[in-house]
Amino acid sequence: GDAEHDTPPPPAAAQQQQQQQQEEEEQDEQLDGCEHQSACSDAGTVTSLEDDGDCVSVEDFGEYMDASEYSFSADEEEGTARWYRSHLNVPLWQCGDVSAQLQIHQAVFMLMSWKVDHCVRDNAFGALLGMLTTLFLPEGNHLPPSHYLLKKIMEVRDISSMEWHSCEAGCTGWPPTPKQQWHTHQNDQCPKCNGKRFKKVLGKDVPVRRFWFVAPEDSIEELYPDPAFVKAVLEAKTWRAGIFADSEEFKRLNKAVGGVLRDKHNAVIELGFDFAQPYNFLQHATGFMFMRYCGLPDGGSARLEWHKLVLCIEGPTEPTVTDAFLQPVVQSMLRLAPANPATAGPQLQTPPAAAAAAAAATADKEAATAATAA
């Protein structure tokens, strides 16, 4: 600011937009996004196709900021991510006594959802935001002028927080490591096959094989705000003839886990894993693992929007073994498993046939006891 003035003059809208656009372009040039990692370190649930896939919070890796650490001052500079996060319920614009029906958080969510649904590239999306801000909305509006700022407002987690590494064969996996620390792990190698974690490409450390792990816990948290999904889960736990809980497969699984599947608080999650050729112009095998809830009524288990990505394994070749990739999946499944399988909670309604059989067995036992006593 100018030392001759007590308060520096506020920047013009055009200058502020240009500055935000410049920050976005600099961020796009950094493929790893490490310069902005501190700004994207909190949890988020927004998908960005330009960021190589789903950006989902992974609670096991990376530190979360406690809500008490957010201290917004009254004179917080307008236009920063902190200012937006403290004014999410402010109308998008206001002209005299007339104000927008949308609030800031609603506009941000709608724009980010539209970008993902229509696979809009970052540069085009940034240009659109600039036009909306300067051409179509009233002067003094509060629409964030850049994609980078939108991600900071929504606290989108950087894709690197889900990036694991493995040896070429897939024997050993290494959890997410900030790129700034890669040089300290350049000598990491697999204790089984002696394969290295990094290789040198043009003088830089590059992972031999990468894969991305999305914790099922986070996917479950995304599913349950959907009322239709919750309704399907509840209907699946109400016993009736022909449902999954009446199948031989359910009985086999229930027996294998000590009978806890009839607990209303538990459910069966299916994992599907395979390698595919996503390109029609070259050989490039990419591995995918998805999860879905098993036994949802009316074909609910087949609904694509209720399938969630768990693993994405980078090609171009398939690994020899899958130990490294299954390591975080198994750990996550163990966390989701019932804590005390022997202690069953509220049970599913007993099937009529089983109830009748149990009643007959009890009657026979009582009759035998009475005969013995006589």
Side-chain angles (χ1 to χ4, degrees):
D2 193 344
E4 297 179 0
H5 300 279
D6 295 335
T7 303
Q15 294 178 347
Q16 183 179 2
Q17 176 189 348
Q18 183 178 4
Q19 181 181 359
Q20 295 290 351
Q21 187 69 23
Q22 183 177 1
E23 291 180 356
E24 180 185 2
E25 292 175 356
E26 293 176 355
Q27 191 265 348
D28 291 337
E29 293 175 359
Q30 301 290 334
L31 296 179
D32 58 341
C34 57
E35 289 186 3
H36 307 292
Q37 189 167 0
S38 60
C40 304
S41 60
D42 302 327
T45 57
V46 176
T47 307
S48 175
L49 297 180
E50 285 297 316
D51 291 338
D52 301 326
D54 290 8
C55 297
V56 186
S57 63
V58 183
E59 188 174 355
D60 305 304
F61 308 102
E63 296 181 357
Y64 281 70
M65 294 184 65
D66 186 76
S68 61
E69 298 179 16
Y70 289 98
S71 57
F72 301 107
S73 59
D75 57 350
E76 185 74 43
E77 182 181 357
E78 182 175 353
T80 64
R82 290 175 60 87
W83 183 89
Y84 278 109
R85 286 199 294 266
S86 62
H87 295 79
L88 291 176
N89 294 326
V90 172
L92 187 61
W93 55 265
Q94 185 169 1
C95 292
D97 296 333
V98 181
S99 59
Q101 296 182 356
L102 288 179
Q103 298 175 342
I104 292 178
H105 72 93
Q106 294 172 319
V108 169
F109 181 81
M110 290 175 63
L111 286 168
M112 291 292 281
S113 299
W114 176 82
K115 178 187 184 301
V116 174
D117 292 341
H118 298 280
C119 303
V120 181
R121 296 184 64 86
D122 288 355
N123 292 338
F125 187 64
L128 174 65
L129 291 175
M131 289 191 295
L132 289 175
T133 304
T134 57
L135 297 180
F136 300 107
L137 293 178
E139 185 177 357
N141 66 83
H142 301 301
L143 180 68
S146 71
H147 179 217
Y148 168 62
L149 189 56
L150 286 179
K151 291 196 296 183
K152 290 182 65 177
I153 294 170
M154 299 192 73
E155 301 175 330
V156 176
R157 198 174 188 84
D158 190 81
I159 189 65
S160 63
S161 64
M162 295 177 287
E163 180 183 309
W164 287 58
H165 301 155
S166 78
C167 60
E168 182 68 24
C171 310
T172 301
W174 291 274
T177 305
K179 191 170 184 179
Q180 303 93 317
Q181 301 177 13
W182 283 8
H183 67 280
T184 62
H185 298 272
Q186 59 183 350
N187 295 324
D188 290 356
Q189 65 181 44
C190 175
K192 299 178 181 178
C193 68
N194 294 325
K196 292 191 174 182
R197 177 180 180 180
F198 293 100
K199 60 183 178 181
K200 289 289 184 179
V201 177
L202 299 178
K204 296 182 179 180
D205 292 322
V206 177
V208 172
R209 186 185 291 275
R210 300 183 299 174
F211 68 98
W212 292 267
F213 169 68
V214 182
E217 298 96 315
D218 298 309
S219 297
I220 292 172
E221 290 182 1
E222 288 184 5
L223 286 171
Y224 270 89
D226 184 350
F229 175 79
V230 174
K231 180 180 178 181
V233 172
L234 293 177
E235 289 181 358
K237 294 180 179 181
T238 302
W239 190 92
R240 61 185 183 277
I243 66 172
F244 175 65
D246 190 35
S247 66
E248 293 300 323
E249 177 65 11
F250 179 88
K251 296 175 183 177
R252 183 187 69 83
L253 294 173
N254 190 39
K255 181 179 179 181
V257 296
V260 298
L261 290 187
R262 292 200 176 275
D263 190 320
K264 288 188 176 182
H265 299 292
N266 297 328
V268 179
I269 293 178
E270 291 181 316
L271 298 176
F273 180 47
D274 200 359
F275 280 82
Q277 297 286 340
Y279 309 108
N280 57 8
F281 53 87
L282 56 83
Q283 292 291 324
H284 189 103
T286 304
F288 298 98
M289 177 181 286
F290 286 87
M291 60 166 279
R292 70 176 186 178
Y293 272 66
C294 184
L296 298 184
D298 301 325
S301 296
R303 292 181 58 171
L304 293 180
E305 62 268 28
W306 294 346
H307 288 62
K308 291 297 181 179
L309 180 71
V310 178
L311 282 177
C312 179
I313 304 174
E314 186 179 45
T317 60
E318 296 185 16
T320 306
V321 294
T322 58
D323 296 1
F325 318 111
L326 295 180
Q327 173 188 347
V329 178
V330 172
Q331 293 175 352
S332 182
M333 291 295 105
L334 290 175
R335 288 192 297 270
L336 288 172
N340 298 309
T343 305
Q347 301 291 308
L348 287 171
Q349 182 180 357
T350 304
T362 302
D364 293 342
K365 184 177 180 180
E366 292 178 351
T369 303
T372 303

